[in-house]
Amino acid sequence: MKRTLPFDVVSPMTVMAEAFREGRLKLKKHHYTEPVTFQDSCNFVRNGGNFKDARLLMGQVAGDFREMHPGGVHTYCCGSGGGHGLMSEYKKLRLATAKAKAEAIRRTGAKVVVVACHNCEDGIRDCVKEYGLDCEVHLLSNYLAEAVELGGAS
Amino acid sequence: MNVYDLATGPLVWLAFALCLGGLSVRTALFLRLARERDKPVFTGFEPRWAGLSILHWLLPLNVTALESPWVTLAGFLFHAGLLLVGFLGLGHAVFWNQAWGLNWWSIPDGLSDVLTLASLAAVLFFALRRLVRPEVKALTSAGDWLALALAAAPMLTGYLTAHGYGDPETMFLIHVCSGCALIAAIPFTRLSHALFFFLSRAVTGSDFGKRQVGAW
Amino acid sequence: MALDTIKISETLAAKWGARLGMWLEICARCGLCAKGCHFFQSDPRPEHVPAYRLKPLRQVLAAKGNISEADMAALVDTVYGTCTMCQRCTMYCPHGINIAFMVRATRALAVSVGLTPKGLASGLANALEMGNNLSITAEEYQETLDWQLEEVQEEMPEAACPVDQEGVRSMVTFHPRDIKFYPGNLYSYLKLYNAMGEDFTFTSQGWDSTNIGLFAGDDAAAGTLAGRVVAAGERLKVQRVVTAE
Ligand code: SF4
Ligand code: SF4
């Protein structure tokens, strides 16, 4: 199925990190003060090798960034991968097995979990709800968009 | 020709011929199958990551060594005993020399004893683990017991022979025969991981390395 | 409906390959991969050990495809229900066995006889038929873009929302839910891409870059879905395609 494409395929995270590095994207330094952690998506870290971009962006906007353990390439699945977000027939099991992730989040003490993947967004939302974590879940784009310094570049 | 000559002559030859011949055939078949219908094995190959991945698991430089230290330790002791004493034990070294004119390092008997006992202890540990840990027990099949028995038999009988337990000639004969069985079985059982460990790690190492997961 | 075991054995033959055979053979059933899997870490049952996911495949192989309906149902529950194909276990396996790869191959057996779990099957059908897995129409799509652009323009009057612009640098794609349930995401994308001064475009066709076919283990469907995004990228002659978040 793999064939050479006439274009590159990149993730939004990469595009934003690149623009940030080049100074095109201006983000307010430490715009957020509440403790926040980042959910590395299996897909980005284990398929795409995309670990650093998220750290760069989060480090800029978040004043109190906390790593999850296990995290990075060792991140636990949000529980919603592999089509699990769509298979209601296995929902009970999915929630039961989100425990490992829930504990990883709880240990960070974060009040916000930023996710950069729609699957993870569902997975983490369900996980937070099921395990009564006192956390909001935000999509990376939304999290960054709010911290954009307007009039910085155009 | 008596039984003794038969066992230490043609039988050893046969075992090695089966082992090396079998492994060559299996390598050739693997590569052919990969060429025909599993192209990523070749197109994805990255020598650097393949090499690093193999290295990280030949040495305990991996996440499992941290997460499961006891199994890792047992795994290393087990393989070290088997391979070191198998190739370099004094008795074996003398045999390779007399039979095939091979001349290489040998290790003193005292060290062989320690390595063998440690290796046998590891076998016992693995066996107990298979019986006691529910998750391992559920996975275990007959082939796993066969593999353990194949490896344990020559070590146990070798130790008993060296220390004069039992009837020396019978014990020695069992030692040679079980050793030959182990060697001959490598290409045809799960023991083929002697070869496939490297191929598999090369494939997965390349795969994960390329995606910057690293030689974890 | 009787199980089409011939189909299963055909699919099995088609899926057979060097890696599949090697990994089935050398798995040491040591259970070290259990440390890798969030199923086992959350609920340590034997069925949650990653290597356990190879059992159904072994079973089908031993029976040369000729397996019972009950066994096939168990296969579906195992490879769909208890694995998210996250590949974490592979990092814990001394042999580097890629369980997710094997699970995907096993899922293909279920797909071949129409046993894809319902939720996944209907999402896939929508994606194939409507161009996205939430059945969003072309009008809905364009309306949502326009609406969010207006919102962004309140903050950034010069913001633009180009669609189907040829020869630009980046073609930005979506997850259908961005359009249907979370138009606010669209707002953020527009704000960010405009703020970056990125030379970008959206596309009216092939904008759903999620691929349920891959999840389902349905290669034909996965090829079709990916093909649409590729076609859009080629049509617009862009330098890069930005995937959905
Ligand atoms: S760790 Fe690897 S070899 Fe061991 S049981 Fe799991 S998959 Fe098999
Ligand atoms: S790939 Fe499947 S078996 Fe492996 S860790 Fe992820 S969910 Fe568990």
Side-chain angles (χ1 to χ4, degrees):
Chain A
M1 206 180 77
K2 271 250 157 64
R3 58 191 174 115
T4 40
L5 300 170
F7 49 76
D8 296 330
V9 177
V10 293
S11 74
M13 216 153 50
T14 310
V15 173
M16 292 186 281
E18 176 197 276
F20 178 72
R21 264 185 227 107
E22 290 169 2
R24 287 189 284 129
L25 180 62
K26 297 268 196 296
L27 297 167
K28 292 179 200 149
K29 180 94 187 156
H30 295 178
H31 177 69
Y32 299 99
T33 50
E34 76 278 355
V36 53
T37 185
F38 183 77
Q39 156 69 4
D40 286 298
S41 118
C42 324
N43 219 339
F44 284 140
V45 295
R46 279 194 284 277
N47 268 336
N50 206 328
F51 171 72
K52 295 203 186 92
D53 287 345
R55 300 299 177 285
L56 177 72
L57 296 165
M58 291 299 294
Q60 171 71 13
V61 299
D64 184 3
F65 179 71
R66 303 183 179 184
E67 285 287 357
M68 232 186 264
H69 295 284
V73 293
H74 287 285
T75 183
Y76 277 125
C77 178
C78 62
S80 204
H84 271 249
L86 288 165
M87 295 187 284
S88 46
E89 43 274 70
Y90 299 121
K91 180 148 187 199
K92 240 177 91 190
L93 183 61
R94 170 160 72 86
L95 290 176
T97 53
K99 198 169 114 206
K101 182 94 259 174
E103 268 150 27
I105 298 175
R106 202 194 301 274
R107 281 194 296 267
T108 65
K111 292 275 174 255
V112 175
V113 187
V114 173
V115 296
C117 157
H118 280 298
N119 259 317
C120 294
E121 189 184 5
D122 285 346
I124 299 296
R125 261 188 221 292
D126 287 346
C127 168
V128 162
K129 204 161 98 207
E130 178 76 10
Y131 292 90
L133 300 177
D134 179 22
C135 280
E136 287 173 29
V137 181
H138 290 305
L139 200 62
L140 181 65
S141 291
N142 293 341
Y143 200 68
L144 294 180
E146 220 172 278
V148 166
E149 184 109 55
L150 282 177
S154 57
Chain B
M1 199 183 244
N2 59 25
V3 204
Y4 177 85
D5 290 332
L6 200 68
T8 53
L11 190 65
V12 178
W13 268 107
L14 184 68
F16 273 94
L18 278 172
C19 174
L20 297 177
L23 286 180
S24 318
V25 171
R26 297 228 43 198
T27 312
L29 288 178
F30 176 86
L31 294 178
R32 195 180 76 182
L33 187 59
R35 204 163 44 238
E36 279 169 8
R37 48 193 319 171
D38 220 351
K39 287 257 168 34
V41 169
F42 295 107
T43 52
F45 183 65
E46 303 261 336
R48 186 178 119 82
W49 289 115
L52 278 175
S53 176
I54 290 170
L55 192 71
H56 279 217
W57 287 82
L58 280 182
L59 304 171
L61 295 175
N62 49 68
V63 39
T64 290
L66 296 171
E67 293 271 344
S68 312
W70 292 109
V71 185
T72 305
L73 181 68
F76 274 85
L77 289 178
F78 169 69
H79 285 94
L82 201 59
L83 296 174
L84 285 176
V85 180
F87 282 110
L88 304 179
L90 195 53
H92 296 150
V94 171
F95 178 80
W96 311 135
N97 186 281
Q98 283 173 355
W100 295 327
L102 294 171
N103 225 333
W104 61 43
W105 285 88
S106 65
I107 50 179
D109 280 340
L111 183 56
S112 286
D113 281 351
V114 174
L115 285 170
T116 306
L117 288 178
S119 203
L120 283 170
V123 170
L124 199 64
F125 172 78
F126 287 140
L128 284 175
R129 201 169 162 268
R130 285 211 183 279
L131 292 172
V132 173
R133 293 286 288 266
E135 78 275 19
V136 190
K137 192 173 175 186
L139 288 174
T140 300
S141 63
D144 302 320
W145 291 112
L146 178 70
L148 264 189
L150 275 171
M155 292 201 286
L156 185 63
T157 52
Y159 186 84
L160 295 179
T161 304
H163 293 271
Y165 292 99
D167 173 44
E169 276 183 24
T170 321
M171 197 54 85
F172 178 72
L173 214 55
I174 304 178
H175 174 61
V176 176
C177 291
S178 58
C180 287
L182 171 65
I183 293 164
I186 291 175
F188 312 104
T189 58
R190 213 192 71 200
L191 303 176
S192 63
H193 71 267
L195 164 72
F196 287 120
F197 166 83
F198 296 94
L199 293 175
S200 173
R201 285 236 74 89
V203 170
T204 300
S206 302
D207 212 17
F208 276 47
K210 228 176 9 218
R211 307 181 198 147
Q212 299 168 35
V213 180
W216 59 101
Chain C
M1 197 180 69
L3 198 58
D4 188 352
T5 52
I6 297 178
K7 191 89 208 168
I8 295 178
S9 46
E10 277 171 11
T11 315
L12 189 61
K15 281 275 152 194
W16 188 254
R19 284 176 288 177
L20 207 68
M22 168 170 74
W23 284 333
L24 275 180
E25 177 175 329
I26 63 171
C27 170
R29 270 89 70 181
C30 61
L32 290 173
C33 45
K35 284 260 194 303
C37 184
H38 65 284
F39 280 89
F40 189 85
Q41 291 303 306
S42 302
D43 183 4
R45 279 193 282 150
E47 309 87 80
H48 288 169
V49 182
Y52 204 91
R53 276 67 146 176
L54 305 184
K55 270 202 169 175
L57 191 56
R58 263 186 233 288
Q59 198 181 22
V60 180
L61 266 173
K64 299 201 172 61
N66 201 0
I67 77 165
S68 70
E69 275 179 51
D71 286 344
M72 201 60 194
L75 174 144
V76 171
D77 282 344
T78 301
V79 296
Y80 285 97
T82 69
C83 179
T84 58
M85 306 201 284
C86 72
Q87 307 191 68
R88 193 172 188 270
C89 50
T90 301
M91 304 178 71
Y92 291 74
C93 168
H95 288 157
I97 294 174
N98 193 331
I99 300 285
F101 175 91
M102 313 287 273
V103 164
R104 197 187 306 284
T106 314
R107 285 185 177 193
L109 300 179
V111 171
S112 76
V113 288
L115 288 177
T116 318
K118 268 200 236 70
L120 209 46
S122 65
L124 188 56
N126 278 338
L128 287 171
E129 195 189 324
M130 302 288 295
N132 64 77
N133 67 33
L134 292 173
S135 312
I136 296 159
T137 63
E139 294 79 51
E140 265 178 272
Y141 175 70
Q142 188 57 48
E143 272 167 26
T144 317
L145 289 184
D146 293 342
W147 166 37
Q148 289 306 317
L149 179 64
E150 277 170 32
E151 301 269 322
V152 175
Q153 279 172 341
E154 288 184 11
E155 244 186 302
M156 302 171 73
E158 74 286 10
C161 175
V163 177
D164 289 341
Q165 201 136 87
E166 277 183 36
V168 300
R169 182 157 184 230
S170 307
M171 179 180 101
V172 179
T173 61
F174 303 112
H175 189 294
R177 56 192 284 162
D178 289 333
I179 314 290
K180 188 147 184 160
F181 301 123
Y182 301 97
N185 296 350
L186 223 57
Y187 172 91
S188 295
Y189 303 151
L190 279 167
K191 184 168 170 185
L192 285 164
Y193 284 102
N194 276 291
M196 286 189 257
E198 180 75 20
D199 183 21
F200 79 103
T201 183
F202 297 141
T203 168
S204 59
Q205 266 147 35
W207 52 264
D208 175 5
S209 62
T210 58
N211 198 327
I212 301 185
L214 279 181
F215 288 159
D218 187 336
D219 292 344
T224 309
L225 294 178
R228 285 181 189 158
V229 179
V230 170
E234 282 173 341
R235 182 169 52 90
L236 297 179
K237 301 186 197 62
V238 294
Q239 286 168 35
R240 57 186 191 180
V241 168
V242 183
T243 56
E245 247 182 339

